[in-house]
Amino acid sequence: MSQHQRIDIFFVMGHSFACKTNDSGRKNRGFCKKMRMKKFITTPIYYVNDVPHIGHAYCTLAADTLARYWRQKLGKENVFFLTGTDENSQKTVDAAAAAGEEVMPYLDAIAARWKETWEEIGIDFDDFIRTTEERHHETVHEILTTIHGKGDIYKGKYEGLYCTGCEAFLKASEVDENGHCPHHKKAPNRVEEDNYFFRLSKYQDQLLELFEKNPKLLEPEKRRNEVLSFIKSGLEDISISRENAEFGIPLPWDKSHKIYVWFDALINYRSACPSEEFWDNTLHLLGKDITRFHCVIWPAMLMSAGISTPAEEYAHGFFTVDGEKMSKSLGNVISPLDLAMKYGNDGVRLGLLSSFEFGNDGDFSQEQFHDLYNKKLAGGIGNLFNRVTVLIHKFLEGKKPAWDPMNSEKGEWVTMAKERQAVENDMALFHQFMEDKSLRAAIEEMFHEMNKANLLLNEKEPWKLFKVDPEVATQVFARLLLHLETIAKMSETLLPEAAPKMWKMIGDGEKVGEAEILFQRAE
Ligand code: MSP
């Protein structure tokens, strides 16, 4: 680089640009080249002892929605969205035995079911990793060998309680009054065996420092505080191998031990990450129940292995269904596929993501969802698109009222110019919500746009106005189309199946398209 030039890297709403600047400090426009940032978005990998329910779909849909947002912003090639299945668990062996099947064929069948479910409900993942795959085993061995070589793994004796439901060791203080696991209501197994341990305690100070340096290591704040106080309460070394486990990845240096399922599962993110550029821009999405694994053990493992820690982690809340915890015994477990049969994929996505804010706990009320679908999708956005296109066909023979900046000083077009500004502000707010992962607020912003359009229709009644003042009525149609375009842009992330139909109705040339039904009313 000549001494007269320097490279400036600057960021504009998530994009980075590299520009050479000459002596006078003016940007050399010809050289200014966009270097797009990358995003690696992940969901937890799901246990295959069960089939997907809407609790799992919740995180997967949120991740897919964010991936769609970032693809729109950074370009498809700069976003990599990963999901998959966690298969090296005792739960899996038990579930296969209960089904009377061999482990591997059972795993293949259930993993395929997870993958197909996501495809069927419109999840556009870039990769689906299974922890029984060779590529994962290789990465696990690489990382464990490095950690071992660093002296962070030692052999010891473990005596204590293990809950297979949680796939976690429980402290005596963590069991309930009956001596049961508080989550699974079952007595944990008492184990006494030779295990290998990871020196988690060694990383306590480095973890605190990491949290201080990177506020995004875990959001929202209440989750971060929980994890911080857990670290401050003192970290103990953790057992990372099981001597008697039937299934799992053997330790590279001692094949008689299988690696503890969480220690292998977390590594899936690394096994499937396509490049270091993506790795540096990792966003892990997870439930609030698994923050200690992701924000304490995982960064410590990475530090030990000399790999950079995740840029961002976000823990969402848990939801109940109609006020009750979803459970097989209560018979209230809902399959995302059943819900999609009735309300369509966009309906499920919107219903789940709008019931409560992403970082909070909440309730998914089926009755409220039904109402929301009929009022805001079928009767709201769907009806609005239908009405506007039908009216433009009727009064303007389908011809799109063109916006001409030369008109911005004249009559009603002044209002149009202001409206364009307002819509830009709404769009900027929408972007901000997506970047903050405030998915419910982003959905509200889309409905806000719909309300504005409905208000305009009801106030101006262009079907009456047209007979009195066709020019003003035409401008009202132009303003309505502006709102429809904004809703369609937002829908590319929030209602991805309806979005292409919306654009077809808005039309791309001189004319609007034919009206069609976006959302069927649900009975
Ligand atoms: N296999 C581990 C994750 C390993 S990631 C390296 C696991 N699997 S899980 O299938 O039990 O849960 C996966 C995710 O589903 C968790 O993030 C959990 O929070 C989420 N949910 C399961 N039920 C849920 C609700 N009812 N509500 C919201 N999320 C829920 O943990």
Side-chain angles (χ1 to χ4, degrees), residues 113-147:
R113 231 173 124 177
W114 280 83
K115 195 168 174 211
E116 280 158 21
T117 302
W118 297 151
E119 282 163 350
E120 273 178 46
I121 65 162
I123 305 290
D124 188 11
F125 50 80
D126 293 295
D127 196 355
F128 186 98
I129 187 161
R130 298 180 55 190
T131 54
T132 42
E133 284 175 68
E134 195 48 42
R135 60 169 170 164
H136 177 63
H137 286 218
E138 278 170 17
T139 314
V140 168
H141 274 189
E142 238 171 69
I143 291 185
L144 264 102
T145 306
T146 313
I147 297 179

Side-chain angles (χ1 to χ4, degrees), residues 43-49 53-59 85-86 91 114 165-166 261-262 264-269 285-290 294 316-321 325-326 356:
T43 70
I45 47 170
Y46 301 100
Y47 287 128
V48 281
N49 59 321
H53 61 57
I54 56 169
H56 308 119
Y58 181 63
C59 186
T85 42
D86 189 352
K91 289 195 214 209
W114 280 83
C166 298
V261 62
W262 266 102
D264 113 49
L266 289 160
I267 296 174
N268 90 86
Y269 302 128
L285 295 174
L286 46 131
K288 65 169 188 177
D289 54 329
I290 50 180
H294 280 83
H316 64 78
F318 254 54
F319 64 88
T320 46
V321 172
K325 195 175 164 200
M326 242 188 312
F356 52 95

Side-chain angles (χ1 to χ4, degrees), residues 3-123:
Q3 56 179 170
H4 303 297
Q5 292 171 328
R6 62 193 161 85
I7 300 278
D8 283 348
I9 305 280
F10 56 99
F11 291 88
V12 180
M13 292 279 278
H15 297 201
S16 59
F17 302 85
C19 280
K20 277 191 183 166
T21 320
N22 60 25
D23 278 343
S24 63
R26 282 181 39 204
K27 301 263 166 356
N28 181 346
R29 291 196 140 224
F31 186 78
C32 231
K33 182 172 140 234
K34 264 186 199 174
M35 276 194 338
R36 294 286 175 110
M37 195 182 107
K38 299 205 182 287
K39 276 264 168 196
F40 178 46
I41 301 176
T42 70
T43 70
I45 47 170
Y46 301 100
Y47 287 128
V48 281
N49 59 321
D50 208 353
V51 289
H53 61 57
I54 56 169
H56 308 119
Y58 181 63
C59 186
T60 317
L61 280 166
D64 182 71
T65 304
L66 289 171
R68 285 172 191 272
Y69 169 76
W70 284 106
R71 281 187 196 124
Q72 201 181 32
K73 188 159 178 169
L74 305 177
K76 197 169 170 22
E77 67 288 2
N78 292 313
V79 177
F80 198 88
F81 168 29
L82 172 73
T83 188
T85 42
D86 189 352
E87 306 187 6
N88 300 313
S89 144
Q90 183 58 37
K91 289 195 214 209
T92 309
V93 182
D94 298 346
E101 287 181 37
E102 290 292 318
V103 180
M104 254 346 267
Y106 173 84
L107 286 180
D108 290 343
I110 307 279
R113 231 173 124 177
W114 280 83
K115 195 168 174 211
E116 280 158 21
T117 302
W118 297 151
E119 282 163 350
E120 273 178 46
I121 65 162
I123 305 290

Side-chain angles (χ1 to χ4, degrees), residues 198-215:
F198 171 59
R199 292 189 200 281
L200 183 62
S201 59
K202 175 178 157 188
Y203 289 93
Q204 175 155 340
D205 291 343
Q206 282 179 63
L207 280 167
L208 289 173
E209 209 177 292
L210 194 67
F211 267 89
E212 213 165 277
K213 271 201 269 178
N214 180 7

Side-chain angles (χ1 to χ4, degrees), residues 385 389 501-507 512-516 518:
F385 269 77
T389 30
K501 294 184 201 156
M502 291 177 179
W503 286 119
K504 238 168 98 191
M505 276 199 245
I506 292 167
V512 294
E514 291 306 317
E516 62 174 306
L518 287 177

